Amino acid sequence: MKQDLEKIKDKIEKLRGEIEYHNRRYYIDAMPEISDYEYDLLMKDLIELEEKYPSLKTPDSPTQRVGGAPLDEFKTVIHKKQMLSLDNTYSPDELIEFDNRIKKITEKVTYVAELKIDGVAVALHYENFILKTGATRGDGIKGDDITQNIKTIRTVPLKIKTNEKKFSDIEVRGEVYLSKKQLDIINQERESKGEPLFANTRNAAAGSLRLLDPKEVSKRKLNVFVYSFEDAVKYGIKTQFEALKILEKLGFAVNPNVKLCEKIEEVIEFCNEWEKKRNDLPYSIDGMVIKVNEFEKQEILGVTSKSPRWAISYKFKAEQAKTKLNNILVQVGRQGTLTPVAELEPVKLAGTIVKRATLHNQEEIERKDIRIGDWVIIEKAGEIIPEVIRSLKEERTGNEKIFKMPDKCPVCGSDVTKDEGGVIIRCDNLQCRAQLEGRILHFAERDAMNIEGLGKALVHQLVEKRMVDDYGDIYFLDIFKLASLERMGQKSSENLLNQIKESKKRDLDNLIYALGIRNVGKHTAEILVDNFSSLYDLMKAKKEDLLKIKEIGDIVANSIIDFFKRKDTEKVIEKLKKAGVNFNKSKSKIIKNILGGKVFIFTGELKNYSRQEAANIVKSSGGRVVSAISKNIDFVVVGENPGSKYEKAKKLNLKIIDEQEFLNLIKKS
Ligand code: IVH
């Protein structure tokens, strides 16, 4: 028996070794040897063995990278030492000034020049050689505990690769980033699902680290470069250059493009070299970081309130190109916003061929005096979509044409509206195909009609195959239509139809929110239901009636009135009515109106109730529960290990109560 266990142990260790080997091949060497599928099979074998023999599980097993249930929110971590940021320089002259400032304070310094990786700063703590926490920078003093997400990054060692006892407890800092190729893959997928694209690798990395479900984070294939060994002097390390070498030896991914420089001129040369080569890298950099190499000298130089005096960043100039603007198209976004986009004579910029650039809005076009047919300068400042910076008026021939934004939506032809400031132009038509996916997804959201099976991929197909013209048509889908769609069998279609049927019973506030009236969120929908007892009542309301309600102002009142005046609204309401969707306020919902509309938010774990139970108690006592902190909250209920909401609540001076005080409130009658 014991021998058997030994054999299993060997097998497990072999699998772990293989998986870590392939992690390195994929993430560090960028030379994968096996397919994702084969990799998943290895992982599956290991998970199965560890499940069967729990005594053989270890905290550094690669299976730990994909474990964990989705979180409700992140806990707050207080950084042992503030996470500083850097002052920026933009020219060689400014680097020389930096060198002069340093020389005034201390002599004989050398510099380390590193690439400035365009990602998200993180701090990693190891205890007893094992990764204990991973945290974001936050405001520098405290950040979010994103340990679960950090563990999914295959190049973050779960265990430090050494037996040297002195390195058992350390903190390192670095940059989590996403490769350019991976951003392309993610954006292609987002485009096919009709989701908004990430503008650059930094936003994508930040967005990925903020996800609450580690399984989703794992799919993003994030990466890391570690650049700092905290309190290195305590471990007998004397310089930054040495620290980088040791970090590498301990198993961390350290960027290889580092240079130890004797003089600032060498630094400048290295910066110029990388400014030219930056587009050849598989990840984005937005400049260089120059650090005084000797820790002893760093100590002498010290820090200001936000940044160290011993380091500086050198930002690259945004890359520009000259090209001809052939035409201006108008795109309709998923929220109905009309954006003018320049069609360009294709030109090479920052390593890619650019054919389009954004012009933002009519005001910008006028301010920059950009005309169709102009020669223009375009610029890419780390974003995927470049921007038209200016027109070259001296090159005009007289044939250039002035552009005006249309007053009809280019997708559906209905009249557009301008926002209060007159800058943002929108199409509000409920049947506009450019916005339909977004509107249906919103309609199906949990706080709206709660049709869980109506996910992005499915809605995309429904819209593309023209099975729906608006969200009202959802109620007229049948099993034949649904089962004809990709990845929809008989069973899943039946389930979805059931959910759709169930949604007809949703409460009036859910329906009002689901309608997608501009400026009417969940909270406003609840307030409306406090004041109107059916959808018809609300539809009949005059502006004066709406303005009498305490929390409703001019903008919201106008949005509601405009919404119900529209022909497309009339059509969709008719469909909902025909389907038998509930239009009335439910009377049974409130058992005892103890809380009288008071707004609650929860953070941390309660001893006696799950989050859902506590929310139900609040609702059935006539209160409301929200998930985002704002000044409109009456009570913040704080349980064990509260997250970032607690900090924000304190900042906003909200009333904070503990579980016992919450129970006392509920009991009062
Ligand atoms: S050192 C106190 N080195 O740039 C100095 N930072 O504004 C701490 N960054 O927040 C930073 N690559 O997120 C350092 N090689 C590198 C870096 C780097 C990227 C980021 C980091 C930091 C920001 C500085």
Side-chain angles (χ1 to χ4, degrees), residues 83-88 114-122 137 174-175 227-228 240 286 289 291 306-308 310-311 313:
M83 281 182 88
L84 299 163
S85 61
L86 295 173
D87 278 343
N88 294 325
E114 299 171 16
L115 302 187
K116 187 167 185 299
I117 314 296
D118 203 12
V120 182
V122 292
R137 176 174 181 275
E175 197 83 351
Y227 51 67
S228 140
Q240 167 70 2
D286 61 337
V289 181
K291 301 172 186 174
K306 277 207 302 280
S307 46
W310 45 263
S313 85

Side-chain angles (χ1 to χ4, degrees), residues 412-555:
C412 71
S414 59
D415 290 345
V416 294
T417 54
K418 272 192 181 180
D419 76 339
E420 304 287 305
V423 177
I424 300 171
I425 300 182
R426 282 203 177 91
C427 163
D428 279 326
N429 179 11
L430 294 179
Q431 277 125 12
C432 176
R433 299 210 78 80
Q435 308 164 54
L436 197 46
E437 284 182 37
R439 288 199 185 271
I440 296 177
L441 285 170
H442 171 79
F443 187 79
E445 257 179 36
R446 194 167 61 186
D447 290 326
M449 300 310 266
N450 194 22
I451 312 172
E452 210 183 315
L454 212 49
K456 286 172 196 145
L458 184 63
V459 172
H460 183 64
Q461 288 191 70
L462 288 174
V463 172
E464 206 171 46
K465 300 217 155 79
R466 302 210 160 231
M467 289 187 179
V468 287
D469 284 330
D470 55 34
Y471 46 66
D473 288 336
I474 297 298
Y475 292 100
F476 301 93
L477 290 169
D478 58 34
I479 190 102
F480 304 107
K481 280 188 192 151
L482 285 178
S484 73
L485 297 172
E486 253 172 64
R487 274 182 281 162
M488 286 297 283
Q490 179 84 10
K491 190 87 203 116
S492 44
S493 305
E494 276 169 19
N495 285 344
L496 178 60
L497 285 175
N498 260 333
Q499 285 176 12
I500 293 176
K501 196 168 144 205
E502 274 302 298
S503 78
K504 294 180 191 173
K505 298 184 213 150
R506 292 285 280 169
D507 283 320
L508 181 57
D509 53 335
N510 303 114
L511 173 66
I512 294 176
Y513 174 58
L515 295 177
I517 307 171
R518 194 165 298 288
N519 302 313
V520 175
K522 198 175 147 231
H523 182 67
T524 309
E526 286 170 0
I527 294 168
L528 289 170
V529 174
D530 287 342
N531 291 276
F532 298 94
S533 56
S534 77
L535 187 67
Y536 290 122
D537 275 358
L538 177 63
M539 286 163 73
K540 278 189 285 191
K542 299 213 172 59
K543 190 169 168 187
E544 309 87 84
D545 304 328
L546 291 165
L547 287 176
K548 274 185 210 141
I549 303 170
K550 196 176 112 201
E551 286 182 71
I552 295 200
D554 218 47
I555 296 178

Side-chain angles (χ1 to χ4, degrees), residues 257-408:
N257 307 306
V258 180
K259 187 165 182 189
L260 181 59
C261 305
E262 297 287 329
K263 288 196 163 67
I264 200 71
E265 288 72 22
E266 256 179 279
V267 170
I268 294 170
E269 198 184 314
F270 193 59
C271 290
N272 287 338
E273 193 184 310
W274 276 105
E275 180 148 19
K276 282 191 213 110
K277 286 200 296 197
R278 59 190 292 206
N279 293 323
D280 303 337
L281 288 167
Y283 44 84
S284 315
I285 58 172
D286 61 337
M288 307 289 287
V289 181
I290 296 95
K291 301 172 186 174
V292 166
N293 186 30
E294 298 78 14
F295 290 139
E296 198 188 6
K297 309 266 169 174
Q298 288 189 1
E299 192 64 32
I300 296 171
L301 288 156
V303 298
T304 66
S305 65
K306 277 207 302 280
S307 46
R309 286 198 197 88
W310 45 263
I312 203 140
S313 85
Y314 176 78
K315 291 278 199 141
F316 293 147
K317 281 181 249 357
E319 286 182 73
Q320 295 192 333
K322 175 182 161 184
T323 188
K324 189 139 187 225
L325 190 154
N326 290 331
N327 199 4
I328 297 179
L329 298 175
V330 177
Q331 281 182 348
V332 186
R334 285 160 46 79
Q335 310 289 333
T337 313
L338 273 60
T339 312
V341 176
E343 273 198 318
L344 307 166
E345 199 55 44
V347 61
K348 195 156 182 220
L349 176 65
T352 51
I353 303 283
V354 174
K355 293 183 197 132
R356 287 185 175 188
T358 180
L359 289 161
H360 302 292
N361 52 51
Q362 176 77 43
E363 228 184 20
E364 281 284 297
I365 296 176
E366 279 167 23
R367 192 175 61 78
K368 293 176 183 164
D369 186 12
I370 292 165
R371 301 181 189 180
I372 297 172
D374 265 342
W375 281 94
V376 291
I377 298 294
I378 60 169
E379 186 176 288
K380 207 167 182 177
E383 319 290 287
I384 300 179
I385 304 170
E387 192 186 359
V388 179
I389 294 297
R390 62 192 166 94
S391 56
L392 301 173
K393 293 173 194 77
E394 59 282 11
E395 299 198 25
R396 280 189 180 151
T397 60
N399 292 330
E400 296 74 17
K401 286 198 206 85
I402 291 182
F403 170 82
K404 269 253 150 326
M405 284 292 274
D407 49 14
K408 299 252 186 275

